[in-house]
Amino acid sequence: ALLNVKDIPAVIAKFPASSPCLTLELESKDRARSMKVSGWRVNEQIFRVLEKMLPSMNQLQSLGFWQAGLTDRMVVALMNTIPLCSSLRVVALEGNVLPQQGYHLLLSEDSVLTHLSLRNNRIGVEGARLIGSALSTARSANKNLLSLNLAFNRICDAGAALIAQGLRLNRTLLFLSLCNNQVGDAGAAQLAAVLREFALTHDEIVERRKLLLKRVQAVRVAVSFTELTLITKCSEYKNIILNDGADLTVLREQAELVDPANPLLHPSVDPRDGQVFMSGNTTLVSLNLAGQQLWCIYLCFSGKSKHKIKVKFIYIAHLKPQLLTKVLYI
C-alpha cells in the first residue's frame, strides 16, 4: 500500500510441486519465522516492497531466494536491509547469478549473518577472490559467520586457493562446503596448507607489528615511564619508538581497537629461521569437498607435519575407491 502497488500476488501457505511462490513459515498466527521466494522473478517494484516489509518482521530468522532473478543492486540493498532485521541470521541466495559477483557483500566484516548459502550461482575465480577477502585479510575478518555453503558453483583450483587465503586469519567459520565445484588436487592442497602451521606473509607481519605497537601504547597509558622503559627493552618491542608527547586519550582509543582475539597476536606465533610462523586454522570443523576429481586428497590433508590438522570431519564422495577408507575421518 505504501508503494501504491495495485496487483498484489497471492501468498500461498504450502510449497507446490512446481510454480513460483512465496512461502512463509509462521512462528505464531501473524508472525513469520522464515520466508522463501522460489522460482518467482522478483522485479524492482516487488523488491522495494520486500525492503519495506523485512525490518518490521521482527521474528524473521531465515530468508531465502531460489531462482528469483536478483540483481547486483538488489543484493546491495539487501545488505543494507539485513542489519535492520533484529532476528535475521540465515540467508540463502541460490540460483541467482550476479554479473558483478557481489555475494561477498553479505559476509562483510560487520555482517550479522551466521549462516549463508550461495549454491548454484556460477561463482568463479573473481567471486571466490571477493569471498575469500571477506572471510579475512591481514586487516579485517568476518566474526559472525558460522557456515558457508558454496556448493554447485564454478570454483576451480585458483578459486579454492583464494578462499583458502580467506581461511588463514578467520577464526569464526565452522562449516564450509565446496562440494560439486571444479576443485582438483592443487586446490585441495591450498586448503590443506592453511589447516596446518604456515608462514606469515609480508602484509601479515606488517599488520602484526602495528597491532603490537598499539598494545605497547596501551601499556604506555597504564604504566609509569620507568616501567615502560623496561618493556621497550624486551626483544619483541625493541624496534618500537614511542612518542612521550602523545595524547593519552588518542592512545587509549587506538589501544581499544586492538582485538585480543586477533590470531596475529596469538601466543603460538613463532619467529624462527627468518620467518614468522603461526598455527593453522583450528576453528574449521567441517569441510565438504564431495563431487570433485581428487586423486591425492589423503596426501594433502595428512602430509608430514608436526602440527596435526584439527578439522574434525572432511567429507569427500566420488573419490577413487582405493582412497575412500583413508579420508573420511582425520
Side-chain angles (χ1 to χ4, degrees), residues 132-142 165-166 169-170 204 207 264:
S133 297
L135 286 174
S136 80
T137 65
R139 297 168 184 80
S140 65
N142 179 289
Q165 290 295 309
L169 301 179
N170 182 290
E204 290 166 347
E207 184 62 21
L264 291 174

Side-chain angles (χ1 to χ4, degrees), residues 60-73:
L60 188 68
Q61 301 171 19
S62 175
L63 176 64
F65 293 91
W66 168 251
Q67 293 187 344
L70 298 190
T71 65
D72 287 283
R73 193 210 69 79

Side-chain angles (χ1 to χ4, degrees), residues 51 54-58 60 63 74-91 105-113 144:
E51 282 185 275
L54 292 174
S56 64
M57 300 172 70
N58 52 21
L60 188 68
L63 176 64
M74 292 178 184
V75 171
V76 172
L78 182 61
M79 174 196 69
N80 295 326
T81 304
I82 287 173
L84 305 177
C85 307
S86 57
S87 301
L88 184 58
R89 295 295 181 269
V90 180
V91 168
L105 297 173
L106 298 174
L107 54 154
S108 59
E109 184 177 11
D110 55 354
S111 172
V112 298
L113 297 180
N144 290 308

Side-chain angles (χ1 to χ4, degrees), residues 3-310:
L3 294 172
N4 197 30
V5 176
K6 301 299 184 183
D7 300 320
I8 301 176
V11 178
I12 57 176
K14 262 191 168 182
F15 190 86
S18 60
S19 67
C21 67
L22 172 63
T23 307
L24 296 176
E25 181 183 345
L26 300 181
E27 178 77 21
S28 58
K29 184 177 180 180
D30 57 349
R31 294 185 183 275
R33 181 169 58 188
S34 72
M35 180 170 72
K36 184 176 182 180
V37 178
S38 301
W40 172 19
R41 193 167 188 83
V42 177
N43 58 29
E44 292 286 343
Q45 184 186 46
I46 294 298
F47 194 81
R48 287 198 299 272
V49 172
L50 293 175
E51 282 185 275
K52 291 280 187 180
M53 289 169 50
L54 292 174
S56 64
M57 300 172 70
N58 52 21
Q59 298 297 317
L60 188 68
Q61 301 171 19
S62 175
L63 176 64
F65 293 91
W66 168 251
Q67 293 187 344
L70 298 190
T71 65
D72 287 283
R73 193 210 69 79
M74 292 178 184
V75 171
V76 172
L78 182 61
M79 174 196 69
N80 295 326
T81 304
I82 287 173
L84 305 177
C85 307
S86 57
S87 301
L88 184 58
R89 295 295 181 269
V90 180
V91 168
L93 261 63
E94 302 175 341
N96 296 276
V97 180
L98 302 181
Q100 298 178 16
Q101 300 278 287
Y103 308 100
H104 67 288
L105 297 173
L106 298 174
L107 54 154
S108 59
E109 184 177 11
D110 55 354
S111 172
V112 298
L113 297 180
T114 57
H115 303 278
L116 178 62
S117 179
L118 298 172
R119 298 188 307 161
N120 284 286
N121 289 322
R122 301 181 191 172
I123 296 172
V125 173
E126 178 60 15
R129 181 187 69 81
L130 295 170
I131 289 172
S133 297
L135 286 174
S136 80
T137 65
R139 297 168 184 80
S140 65
N142 179 289
K143 295 181 176 62
N144 290 308
L145 194 67
L146 302 177
S147 71
L148 176 61
N149 190 343
L150 296 173
F152 296 94
N153 281 292
R154 297 179 177 177
I155 298 173
C156 58
D157 286 339
L162 292 166
I163 290 174
Q165 290 295 309
L167 296 176
R168 288 172 67 91
L169 301 179
N170 182 290
R171 295 298 181 268
T172 305
L173 193 68
L174 299 176
F175 305 94
L176 173 63
S177 175
L178 288 169
C179 72
N180 291 283
N181 277 277
Q182 300 164 12
V183 180
D185 292 334
Q190 292 292 325
L191 291 166
V194 300
L195 301 179
R196 57 169 65 94
E197 185 185 61
F198 57 80
L200 297 184
T201 64
H202 173 74
D203 286 346
E204 290 166 347
I205 292 174
V206 170
E207 184 62 21
R208 181 171 185 271
R209 288 175 178 171
K210 290 179 180 178
L211 294 173
L212 289 172
L213 175 58
K214 289 180 180 179
R215 178 180 284 181
V216 172
Q217 290 172 338
V219 176
R220 170 69 177 84
V221 174
V223 302
S224 67
F225 178 78
T226 303
E227 292 169 324
L228 185 61
T229 303
L230 294 174
I231 292 174
T232 56
K233 291 180 181 179
C234 295
S235 59
E236 192 157 24
Y237 305 106
K238 63 183 179 182
N239 295 322
I240 296 176
I241 300 175
L242 295 175
N243 180 4
D244 269 349
D247 188 310
L248 295 185
T249 303
V250 174
L251 291 178
R252 187 180 294 110
E253 291 174 353
Q254 292 176 345
E256 289 173 353
L257 296 177
V258 179
D259 182 3
N262 192 309
L264 291 174
L265 297 177
H266 195 273
S268 66
V269 177
D270 179 22
R272 68 175 187 274
D273 302 327
Q275 293 183 297
V276 181
F277 292 88
M278 70 178 298
S279 58
N281 186 322
T282 59
T283 306
L284 192 70
V285 297
S286 177
L287 175 60
N288 190 337
L289 291 175
Q292 320 286 352
Q293 294 299 316
L294 301 174
W295 273 99
C296 303
I297 190 69
Y298 176 66
L299 299 178
C300 290
F301 286 91
S302 59
K304 293 181 179 179
S305 173
K306 66 178 182 178
H307 296 273
K308 295 181 66 177
I309 292 175
K310 301 294 185 180

